[in-house]
Amino acid sequence: MKARKGVRFNHVVEQITARMPSADEAKKLAMPKNTPLLAVFGAVRDASGRPLVVVEVLLPADRHELEDAYPVS
């Protein structure tokens, strides 16, 4: 990956969990309190594993589908 301002991204670590939303999350996402959400946590890391960028995205589970593709060779 290209380096910018001396920062070189190497890989992304992603965790996806399903859970019930808090009352505040349900309100902000305009979703029922009894509908699960998907919490997607991603960290872009350098070669040593140090996190450079971290993001968490909350998705109402009844409105989203996630798909990933991975090389096998």
Side-chain angles (χ1 to χ4, degrees):
M1 298 182 133
K2 287 187 176 180
R4 262 194 192 181
K5 296 188 179 185
V7 176
R8 187 170 176 90
F9 296 154
N10 182 270
H11 63 284
V12 176
V13 176
E14 184 178 78
Q15 296 171 312
I16 302 171
T17 57
R19 64 175 174 81
M20 300 306 288
S22 68
D24 186 52
E25 291 168 336
K27 183 178 177 182
K28 288 179 179 176
L29 293 169
M31 61 182 286
K33 295 177 194 174
N34 62 349
T35 299
L37 58 77
L38 298 172
V40 182
F41 178 85
V44 180
R45 298 176 179 265
D46 65 13
S48 72
R50 182 177 61 128
L52 302 171
V53 177
V54 176
V55 65
E56 183 179 38
V57 178
L58 302 177
L59 306 168
D62 63 339
R63 295 185 234 165
H64 293 85
E65 180 179 309
L66 302 177
E67 180 180 321
D68 284 318
Y70 300 94
V72 294
S73 57

